[in-house]
Amino acid sequence: MIRATRPESQVLSLFLRPMATDSNKFQAIISHCKEYGFIFPSSEIYDGLQAVYDYGQMGSELKKNIKDYWWNSMTQFHDNIVGIDAAIFMHPTTWKASGHVDNFNDPMIDNKDSKKRYRVDHLIEGFAEDVRNAGDAAKADAVLASMDALLAKDDFAGLKQLIDDNKMKCAVSGTCNWTDVRQFNLMFSTEFGSVSGEGEDNKVYLRPETAQGIFVNFLNVQKTGRMKIPFGIAQIGKAFRNEIVARQFIFRMREFEQMEMQFFIRPGTQKEWYEYWKAERLKWHLSLGLPADKYRFHDHIKLAHYADAACDIEFEFPIGFKEVEGIHSRTDFDLKNHQEFSKKKQQYFDTEINQNYIPYVIETSIGLDRMFLLIMSNAYTEEDLSTPEKPDSRVVLKFPAKLAPIKMAVFPLTKKDGLPEIARGIMDDCKKSFRCFYEEKDAIGKRYRRMDAIGTPFCITVDHQTKEDNTVTVRHRDSMLQERIPIDAIKGMVLGAIA
Ligand code: ATP
């Protein structure tokens, strides 16, 4: 391999902008996502819709690649896991049985002056962070410990007292004039059929999680697939939550996608399977080459209504350590309740022990959009390439090659002398195997930078030497190193990197 002979600094004033600092990196990522066709605000021409986003031409490719990577590692690499694709609408009783009608609430508090509504845990966590940043870590820890204890008991009066005692302020009005703490259900509902206004009978929900589509199909899949416990059912699909505090870009959306897997097991084995899936899921993240020191587990203190153990896999986003995936030991809560509400047995006959039982379940649930944000945050890099003669910088998305929206770009050095034809030939040979991009406009350096900005791992340049010896220049995204390789080695090189 040889270093680029011509400094890429001969390229662009376009990329010369102030480097993002730690504090504005998140904002820089959001702008980059918009500028390069990854993510747009929904219905932007009407000023957008809060916490709803559209994936653009690059974003939809990246998202699909993440989906495929998850789907294949769940279904293709595990003999005992199969996938389904259930409908978003489900019989309304599903959500009574699952507990979502009664329990899918968040404690909220409103500031009377600004009318701004806060999730109580977010208000308190924000306050604790400020206190910590001001140097009083002990007080921050004490406040968080009190909050956890009060949340665990659903002690709303106590939470209000904690907020009052610490004189927590609204970020908008700056006052401490709070309402009582109240519960707020996060499910969206709509009506089925042509007649509106028929009340509860017509009401259907937009599913707040994909898991229930799996539970109600447990026996269908088990019987038709002749599945034996332990086995899993995986699903990728949209979920909807009327999130109150829906900021932070695609981290918390009202319409998002989940990749969930429910693993059905013999009762009594949940502890070992819970540990197994914790380890397996972290391994999956690290298999993408993501840095281990940016991951940590967070065990739940207050367990959801269905769980006997639960933890989050957290990642260090530019906005701090945040949940990307949940691992939940759901017991037999869901199947038992579906049996009770539907009056249909949800049992499995275990031939090994000659017993009928309702299986226990370990769930792994990852947000596709959050995983997208994780990949984007980790990949986004600003590099200072200045030389004494010339200031220069580049923005490069260092995606794992297998997730990159475009794997390879092909550039004829000039638009004439037969070079475009050779470049097109390379495209035609490779585009059935992976996503390629062809471009002949602008100087090569400029074309490289455009590919850096969307994370394309390989750029192939066809020049006059190609006509003599059938070799091309490969320029590697992260190192910017260039080397000459034969045309017939291109496909193998890229396939090797994305395998
Ligand atoms: P949070 O505490 O952040 O609200 P949660 O614990 O309610 O998340 P789960 O119900 O366990 O989340 O959902 C599993 C995964 O779905 C989460 O780990 C997250 O990646 C994703 N997810 C949940 N809510 C949203 C949302 N509003 N927008 C985007 N992704 C979400």
Side-chain angles (χ1 to χ4, degrees):
M1 239 183 238
I2 47 164
R3 246 246 164 254
T5 42
R6 198 160 58 103
E8 291 188 7
S9 59
Q10 291 177 13
V11 224
L12 286 180
S13 54
L14 189 70
F15 293 96
L16 287 176
R17 60 180 183 207
M19 299 274 211
T21 57
D22 275 356
S23 62
N24 63 20
K25 184 172 172 198
F26 197 54
Q27 205 47 51
I29 291 170
I30 297 171
S31 308
H32 192 85
C33 280
K34 167 106 198 286
E35 195 178 338
Y36 287 92
F38 284 90
I39 297 175
F40 308 124
S42 158
S43 30
E44 195 185 6
I45 56 168
Y46 297 104
D47 297 332
L49 186 63
Q50 209 196 13
V52 185
Y53 290 91
D54 297 341
Y55 287 83
Q57 67 280 15
M58 288 301 140
S60 52
E61 291 283 344
L62 174 58
K63 192 174 170 194
K64 184 179 174 304
N65 293 342
I66 298 172
K67 250 193 240 192
D68 289 347
Y69 188 63
W70 183 88
W71 185 262
N72 290 342
S73 48
M74 278 297 174
T75 61
Q76 198 174 325
F77 302 164
H78 288 97
D79 299 344
N80 58 351
I81 301 181
V82 291
I84 63 163
D85 185 8
I88 287 171
F89 289 131
M90 299 183 70
H91 192 285
T93 310
T94 308
W95 305 110
K96 292 203 179 91
S98 70
H100 282 82
V101 171
D102 295 326
N103 292 314
F104 196 51
N105 304 308
D106 273 337
M108 302 288 170
I109 193 164
D110 293 6
N111 183 271
K112 290 183 192 162
D113 298 321
S114 67
K115 309 283 182 253
K116 186 171 163 54
R117 181 166 289 168
Y118 290 84
R119 243 174 79 171
V120 165
D121 54 335
H122 289 171
L123 177 69
I124 299 174
E125 278 168 2
F127 171 80
E129 201 173 313
D130 291 345
V131 170
R132 191 181 305 281
N133 291 340
D136 196 345
K139 180 169 176 189
D141 289 342
V143 167
L144 290 177
S146 305
M147 176 187 80
D148 285 341
L150 294 164
L151 281 172
K153 290 187 285 179
D154 281 337
D155 182 350
F156 297 153
L159 286 163
K160 172 79 187 326
Q161 199 63 49
L162 184 69
I163 291 166
D164 288 341
D165 288 350
N166 286 284
K167 301 196 172 42
M168 295 183 200
K169 290 198 179 98
C170 167
V172 177
S173 67
T175 68
C176 309
N177 194 8
W178 299 106
T179 62
D180 286 339
V181 173
R182 282 176 306 213
Q183 292 282 46
F184 184 90
N185 194 288
L186 301 184
M187 278 198 295
F188 283 103
S189 64
T190 184
E191 283 158 20
F192 238 38
S194 55
V195 189
S196 66
E198 285 183 13
E200 292 296 305
D201 291 351
N202 255 7
K203 191 165 173 179
V204 286
Y205 295 100
L206 297 182
R207 65 181 177 199
E209 62 175 26
T210 56
Q212 298 305 323
I214 295 179
F215 289 124
V216 299
N217 279 299
F218 159 67
L219 280 182
N220 283 338
V221 173
Q222 190 270 319
K223 292 205 164 110
T224 56
R226 293 180 296 119
M227 309 298 290
K228 284 210 175 339
I229 273 178
F231 75 91
I233 304 179
Q235 173 166 225
I236 300 177
K238 291 267 184 176
F240 304 83
R241 296 183 187 179
N242 199 0
E243 300 279 6
I244 295 307
V245 185
R247 291 179 263 112
Q248 299 173 326
F249 194 38
I250 58 168
F251 183 81
R252 190 172 302 285
M253 300 155 91
R254 295 203 164 106
E255 173 181 341
F256 58 100
E257 254 178 286
Q258 289 185 313
M259 307 190 285
E260 295 199 301
M261 193 277 300
Q262 311 295 326
F263 198 69
F264 299 92
I265 55 174
R266 196 181 283 169
T269 61
Q270 64 269 32
K271 277 207 168 59
E272 64 207 70
W273 281 115
Y274 175 66
E275 293 305 328
Y276 171 86
W277 279 109
K278 265 176 86 169
E280 239 348 70
R281 291 305 303 147
L282 186 60
K283 237 195 287 170
W284 180 84
H285 286 264
L286 301 183
S287 72
L288 283 165
L290 297 162
D293 61 349
K294 288 199 161 193
Y295 278 95
R296 71 181 188 196
F297 283 111
H298 168 78
D299 291 320
H300 287 201
I301 299 165
K302 178 176 165 37
L303 292 171
H305 56 276
Y306 50 75
D308 74 353
C311 68
D312 300 331
I313 296 180
E314 294 188 339
F315 183 80
E316 191 174 13
F317 290 90
I319 46 175
F321 269 100
K322 302 266 178 207
E323 168 180 349
V324 62
E325 172 159 9
I327 321 276
H328 309 126
S329 173
R330 291 183 81 123
T331 68
D332 58 357
F333 176 89
D334 302 271
L335 289 179
K336 201 165 74 190
N337 278 4
H338 286 307
Q339 173 168 295
E340 190 184 318
F341 279 74
S342 69
K343 311 268 184 294
K344 311 250 165 45
K345 278 216 174 336
Q346 299 297 311
Q347 291 193 337
Y348 170 83
F349 182 68
D350 192 328
T351 48
E352 271 180 38
I353 52 171
N354 260 336
Q355 262 181 36
N356 255 319
Y357 54 78
I358 299 178
Y360 269 44
V361 170
I362 305 296
E363 166 183 78
T364 71
S365 173
I366 176 169
L368 173 54
D369 312 87
R370 271 194 207 172
M371 190 62 200
F372 183 110
L373 185 59
L374 185 161
I375 293 292
M376 184 59 82
S377 310
N378 193 63
Y380 182 89
T381 314
E382 295 183 3
E383 286 178 353
D384 185 354
L385 306 174
S386 299
T387 58
E389 299 78 46
K390 204 172 168 111
D392 189 20
S393 67
R394 71 167 181 160
V395 173
V396 51
L397 298 181
K398 296 185 174 179
F399 293 135
K402 52 168 77 79
L403 299 185
I406 291 169
K407 313 295 188 217
M408 181 181 92
V410 189
F411 307 147
L413 185 64
T414 62
K415 288 184 204 165
K416 46 185 200 304
D417 302 333
L419 302 188
E421 288 73 15
I422 300 173
R424 285 280 180 202
I426 296 172
M427 281 285 291
D428 290 344
D429 183 37
C430 291
K431 71 185 182 194
K432 289 190 206 99
S433 305
F434 44 82
R435 189 85 152 78
C436 306
F437 180 84
Y438 177 87
E439 188 165 48
E440 47 184 41
K441 197 170 166 297
D442 292 326
I444 288 290
K446 235 182 194 180
R447 289 184 246 173
Y448 285 161
R449 294 303 169 84
R450 280 201 288 265
M451 289 299 116
D452 288 345
I454 57 169
T456 304
F458 301 102
C459 292
I460 304 292
T461 301
V462 174
D463 57 17
H464 293 93
Q465 192 184 327
T466 310
K467 294 206 323 191
E468 285 157 27
D469 63 6
N470 267 330
T471 64
V472 291
T473 301
V474 184
R475 186 264 198 182
H476 297 265
R477 178 195 66 196
D478 297 352
S479 62
M480 298 194 293
L481 293 176
Q482 300 184 8
E483 60 180 328
R484 278 204 91 86
I485 63 165
I487 287 181
D488 57 15
I490 297 174
K491 202 200 281 183
M493 174 193 69
V494 178
L495 286 175
I498 63 178

